[in-house]
Amino acid sequence: MVHLSSIYRKLEEGAKRLTPQRELVIRIFAEHPGEHLSAEEVHQLVKSHFQDIGLATVYRSLELLTDLEILTRISFDDGRARYEFNQEETHRHHHLVCVHCGHVDEYAEDLLDPLEDRILYERGFQVLDHELKFYGLCRNCAGKLGKTGGPVRETRGD
Amino acid sequence: MVHLSSIYRKLEEGAKRLTPQRELVIRIFAEHPGEHLSAEEVHQLVKSHFQDIGLATVYRSLELLTDLEILTRISFDDGRARYEFNQEETHRHHHLVCVHCGHVDEYAEDLLDPLEDRILYERGFQVLDHELKFYGLCRNCAGKLGKTGGPVRETRGD
DNA sequence: TTACGTGCAAAGGTTTTGCACTAGC
DNA sequence: GCTAGTGCAAAACCTTTGCACGTAA
């Protein structure tokens, strides 16, 4: 979970004003955990749940919040940027993108630190961040397509 | 290295015609190994080295070649798609993206197979492909910024 | 009060598409 | 000769920007 107080503190530290529009954008993300919202989706959600807001303001809010490291920008190659809470300190994760239904699931961070150390040592490249996406078939779609080929357990996957 | 004969075979199998335009697009990639070209760059390269070609044709060729798994599409979040030869079978690799100068280097594939097995076992998600990008500072930029903080050797990194 | 934020509309950049013409096979 | 491919221009998208007005601090 992301603490709202820490978000407001980051805004203050950045000498940025806490406007109703920015609060609502933040609230949308707080109320949609685990989703990866595009600007247009945030715009629609704010408008339908709360009040009218300009699309340009949404774009500017998303950029501001990303600069303040409150949000993280991700791309799933569907032609638009998507955003989620930056959970760097609490819950780093990768993404499992189903190429059939488009669903995006998360997978807990794992075993990339040793690789980053090696990259620094071998190549002099200082890793600041990484992004790992797996493209494939989620359990549901694999089932529908009759492509189950591994030790798939019967718990729900998405 | 990618074999042109296998590319032409893939075109045939897909019942696609081998036009001069498609040959030239392929040739551009063959002559620029290790680069990650955008549609606009391919367009300029074909025009300056060979002959006039429509930008729309470049886009359509890139899509076709990607569908045939001759090329792979990647995004470095600079607002345009980029392409490289699909080296899935011979030389899988990750990308090191310098956030300062924009240079993109490659890093040999490593240690993701066990993780993919675990994802299938734990989540029933069948990984077909993955994409791992490291964002950070390349050796040159880290040096310029005085941020060398690790065992950086004195060989050239990019 | 005043600098920062918003809304609207226009512009910018990338990619797609409609259509008439051309050319592989 | 048929059908797929090309070129051009227009359109479709997503995103950014200029400017007048509004408002948080």
Side-chain angles (χ1 to χ4, degrees), chain B residues 44-75:
Chain B
Q44 290 305 325
L45 287 168
V46 173
K47 284 210 298 187
S48 62
H49 289 31
F50 305 109
Q51 66 176 53
D52 228 338
I53 184 176
L55 179 56
T57 299
V58 172
Y59 272 103
R60 285 186 278 230
S61 299
L62 293 174
E63 180 166 13
L64 172 74
L65 295 171
T66 303
D67 286 348
L68 293 175
E69 299 188 310
I70 293 167
L71 296 180
T72 300
R73 190 189 318 245
I74 8 166
S75 164

Side-chain angles (χ1 to χ4, degrees), chain A residues 97 106-107 110 118 122-126 128-133 135-137 139 142 147 151 153, chain B residues 97 105-107 110 118 121-124 126 128-133 135-137 139 147 153:
Chain A
V97 184
E106 305 190 343
Y107 189 84
D110 197 41
R118 251 185 42 206
E122 293 177 11
R123 305 285 285 271
F125 186 97
Q126 295 188 33
L128 299 172
D129 195 10
H130 60 235
E131 188 180 323
L132 175 54
K133 287 176 286 189
Y135 295 93
L137 294 171
R139 187 199 306 275
K147 288 202 173 182
R153 299 178 304 176
Chain B
V97 184
D105 217 341
E106 305 190 343
Y107 189 84
D110 198 41
R118 251 184 43 206
Y121 183 80
E122 294 178 10
R123 306 284 286 271
Q126 295 188 34
L128 299 173
D129 195 11
H130 61 235
E131 188 181 325
L132 174 54
K133 288 176 286 189
Y135 294 93
L137 294 170
R139 188 198 307 276
K147 289 203 173 181
R153 299 178 304 177

Side-chain angles (χ1 to χ4, degrees), chain B residues 97-151:
Chain B
V97 184
C98 180
V99 297
H100 192 247
C101 70
H103 181 82
V104 178
D105 217 341
E106 305 190 343
Y107 189 84
E109 169 68 57
D110 198 41
L111 66 73
L112 246 42
D113 284 350
L115 185 50
E116 293 189 359
D117 290 343
R118 251 184 43 206
I119 289 171
L120 177 59
Y121 183 80
E122 294 178 10
R123 306 284 286 271
F125 186 98
Q126 295 188 34
V127 176
L128 299 173
D129 195 11
H130 61 235
E131 188 181 325
L132 174 54
K133 288 176 286 189
F134 293 96
Y135 294 93
L137 294 170
C138 69
R139 188 198 307 276
N140 282 349
C141 290
K144 281 180 201 157
L145 297 173
K147 289 203 173 181
T148 47

